[in-house]
Amino acid sequence: MVLRPCSSALFTGQQIYLDRLNHYFSIRNGNSIAPRRSSLIYGLGGMGKTQIALKFAEDSSSQYEYIFWVDATNEDTTCTSLKGISSFPEAKKADVGGTPKAVLYWIASLSKE
């Protein structure tokens, strides 16, 4: 399930960062299971961080069952994004509560299914 904005059609020139992300997220342990990984993209405003993340998510979406887009601009937008995830059909089926904490617990449980 993917719920995120689309990358810009004008996005170009950041292939080195996309390659690094692809390599980092494709690393497997000895029994071919990919461990849960996270990455932080940081830099000055307007440098293309969001577009890099969107393009990576777009390019690799077929490799993952879930990709969640959380707007972490501030506490309110983070809470709103997490509450929105609770309305996904899979979350509703799992009877996830509408609190950010409940959503985070549900996301953590996904790797155990």
Side-chain angles (χ1 to χ4, degrees):
M1 164 154 302
V2 177
L3 182 62
R4 59 171 163 67
C6 295
S7 66
S8 170
L10 302 175
F11 177 80
T12 61
Q14 301 293 338
Q15 193 61 45
I16 189 169
Y17 300 111
L18 294 170
D19 291 344
R20 286 179 185 172
L21 287 168
N22 189 47
H23 175 73
Y24 177 72
F25 283 102
S26 67
I27 296 172
R28 309 274 185 210
N29 64 18
N31 57 5
S32 298
I33 296 174
R36 184 174 294 216
R37 294 184 179 272
S38 59
S39 181
L40 173 68
I41 302 172
Y42 62 93
L44 297 173
M47 299 294 290
K49 301 176 297 294
T50 299
Q51 290 303 312
I52 290 169
L54 286 171
K55 185 66 173 165
F56 174 73
E58 186 178 290
D59 290 350
S60 61
S61 64
S62 64
Q63 299 175 40
Y64 304 100
E65 187 172 354
Y66 298 97
I67 297 175
F68 300 110
W69 188 263
V70 177
D71 180 350
T73 301
N74 58 48
E75 188 174 343
D76 289 338
T77 60
T78 303
C79 288
T80 300
S81 293
L82 290 172
K83 287 177 184 177
I85 292 170
S86 71
S87 67
F88 285 14
E90 291 89 343
K92 285 183 176 180
K93 191 169 97 175
D95 199 24
V96 174
T99 67
K101 188 174 184 177
V103 173
L104 290 172
Y105 278 118
W106 175 68
I107 290 171
S109 76
L110 292 175
S111 66
K112 299 171 187 163
E113 294 178 355

